[in-house]
Structures are given as C-alpha cells and as structure tokens.
C-alpha cells in the first residue's frame, strides 16, 4: 500500500522560499512517475510539476523558473523547491504517485495521494 506524507509548508512573504518534502513508502520513488499538485482556496486541484522514472520533468507555465522538482533516491523522498513565491501560489500542496504519462499535470492522472501541506504567501 502506497503511503505519501508531505511536510515543509508554511507562511512566507512574497518573494520568499520553501522546500516541500514527500516521504514515500510502498513504492520506489526513483521508479515511479510522481508529481506535485495544488489546490488554491475555492478552486480545483491543478498540476504543478512532475518527474518520471527516467528523471524527465514537466512544469506548469505559472511556476516555470521558480519551482524545482527533485528526488532523493536514498531517502525515497520527493521534493519541491519553491522560490520567488507569489500570493497566487497560496494553496494546499499535494504529493501524488503512479501518474499516467499523458496526464502528468492533471489530477486525474494520479492514483495515490498524500494528505497535503499548506503554503500561504502574503504580499
């Protein structure tokens, strides 16, 4: 059974940085297609970034150049580095696994989910 636990969220000012972590069990991160998605207040869940088993990454246009997805194979952990944060980045951020290659930035493309970690950016 896949178990994903996110951490690292918090409250920061515009322009600040955070690093989100997702500890995984029940799967091998380096062999899985995984991603980060977020759900802003009052909106639907949207894809942010994804990394597949060969290390290929994709990003939503809104975060390109500011967010970086990575993984630590030894720790079986997925990361999302968030830099130059903006108020519109405020959302609950979710780690997800077992994605479909054609839906890596869509919520329907993922099978397993973590509980989420809150990111709040103030202006």
């Amino acid at each position: 059974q896949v178990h994903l636990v996110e951490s690292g969220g918090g409250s920061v000012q515009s322009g600040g940085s955070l690093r989100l972590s997702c500890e995984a069990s029940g799967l091998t991160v380096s062999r899985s297609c995984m991603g980060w998605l977020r759900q802003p207040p009052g909106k639907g869940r949207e894809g942010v970034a994804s990394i597949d088993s060969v290390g290929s990454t994709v990003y939503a246009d809104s975060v390109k150049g500011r967010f970086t997805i990575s993984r630590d194979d030894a720790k079986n952990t997925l990361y999302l580095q968030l830099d130059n944060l903006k108020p519109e980045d405020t959302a609950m951020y979710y780690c997800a696994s077992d994605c479909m290659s054609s839906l890596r930035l869509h919520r329907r493309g993922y099978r397993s989910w973590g509980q989420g970690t809150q990111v709040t950016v103030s202006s």
Side-chain angles (χ1 to χ4, degrees):
Q1 183 176 359
V2 175
H3 192 50
L4 305 171
V5 179
E6 303 95 333
S7 62
S11 297
V12 298
Q13 291 189 328
S14 184
S17 297
L18 287 171
R19 189 176 80 155
L20 308 183
S21 299
C22 172
E23 295 185 29
S25 58
L27 62 81
T28 301
V29 168
S30 63
R31 299 178 184 175
S32 302
C33 179
M34 301 193 67
W36 290 94
L37 299 92
R38 67 186 181 186
Q39 187 163 8
K43 298 184 179 180
R45 199 168 296 188
E46 60 188 27
V48 175
S50 174
I51 184 168
D52 68 9
S53 59
V54 298
S56 172
T57 58
V58 292
Y59 295 92
D61 288 343
S62 59
V63 307
K64 282 181 182 177
R66 300 189 299 120
F67 292 6
T68 304
I69 190 170
S70 63
R71 63 190 183 206
D72 185 324
D73 297 347
K75 295 182 178 180
N76 208 38
T77 299
L78 182 73
Y79 299 101
L80 185 68
Q81 178 69 37
L82 293 71
D83 295 318
N84 191 21
L85 281 160
K86 304 176 181 181
E88 52 264 42
D89 294 318
T90 295
M92 183 70 78
Y93 283 71
Y94 296 91
C95 172
S97 68
D98 302 303
C99 55
M100 298 172 59
S101 59
S102 60
L103 293 172
R104 292 173 64 183
L105 290 179
H106 197 285
R107 59 180 176 81
R108 294 180 182 174
Y110 291 84
R111 183 185 304 175
S112 300
W113 296 82
Q115 292 301 306
T117 185
Q118 178 68 38
V119 172
T120 303
V121 185
S122 59
S123 58

